[in-house]
Amino acid sequence: MSLDKLNTLYREVILDHAANPHHKYKLDKATETAHLDNPSCGDEIDLNVLIKDNKIEDIAFTGHGCTISQASASMMTDAVIGKSMPQAMTMAKIFTDVALGKQKTKAKIKQLGDAQVLTQIMSFPARIKCATLAWHALTQVLIESETQDD
Ligand code: ZN
């Protein structure tokens, strides 16, 4: 598949994140980890999150996969670092809802930072799983972390 149908600006942002992913390393001090894969494309992500005082103090990922999955993980880590757990959960919900074709207001989508360009991905149904993989890993980490607090 080519990304030609995406507008040029969006394509450049995605390709830049994929070529130079942000926060791509193992985070030794992580308090939570999640591993997810997307067998339909071969994407894999290991997400490492340091949660402190109910906040995402630090976040990083390792793994491999297609341009969309790598760019998405890079954008996701940029978007949620420093956010509270409820804020991060809301962002994950906005992203996955939009990717599934549910309408959200522009103001809500704007919270996603660079990741908002990937909400255009619903024009490519085959790539939705690539785009949402990192956000699903984040959701899993947040849910597990909340459960442990009980
Ligand atoms: Zn993929």
Side-chain angles (χ1 to χ4, degrees):
M1 188 210 82
S2 82
L3 297 173
D4 290 348
K5 279 194 212 158
L6 287 177
N7 92 36
T8 310
L9 174 67
Y10 289 171
R11 194 165 63 231
E12 275 172 15
V13 174
I14 292 169
L15 292 177
D16 190 48
H17 272 276
N20 305 293
H22 304 173
H23 309 110
K24 188 170 183 186
Y25 43 79
K26 192 173 184 307
L27 190 65
D28 289 325
K29 54 192 175 164
T31 54
E32 303 289 335
T33 60
H35 173 89
L36 281 186
D37 57 9
N38 170 23
S40 63
C41 179
D43 309 319
E44 281 189 47
I45 182 171
D46 277 288
L47 190 63
N48 295 182
V49 188
L50 171 63
I51 292 179
K52 206 177 151 190
D53 300 330
N54 232 15
K55 199 177 108 181
I56 298 179
E57 187 88 1
D58 207 350
I59 184 165
F61 75 100
T62 55
H64 57 89
C66 66
T67 302
I68 298 285
S69 69
Q70 297 299 295
S72 180
S74 173
M75 292 170 178
M76 183 278 286
T77 54
D78 271 356
V80 302
I81 194 163
K83 298 284 194 273
S84 72
M85 288 172 63
Q87 276 176 316
M89 190 62 109
T90 302
M91 291 162 80
K93 182 150 174 38
I94 292 170
F95 187 89
T96 49
D97 277 359
V98 172
L100 291 171
K102 294 183 193 163
Q103 291 295 323
K104 292 280 174 187
T105 63
K106 271 195 181 143
K108 281 192 174 163
I109 291 172
K110 235 179 180 157
Q111 292 177 32
L112 300 173
D114 280 357
Q116 64 192 286
V117 307
L118 274 179
T119 60
Q120 299 294 314
I121 209 72
M122 61 265 206
S123 345
F124 304 95
R127 309 311 294 274
I128 291 173
K129 283 184 182 165
C130 306
T132 52
L133 186 69
W135 291 94
H136 285 316
L138 175 70
T139 304
Q140 186 174 315
V141 159
L142 293 171
I143 290 171
E144 275 169 14
S145 175
E146 267 185 354
T147 318
Q148 284 165 13
D149 284 346
D150 291 340

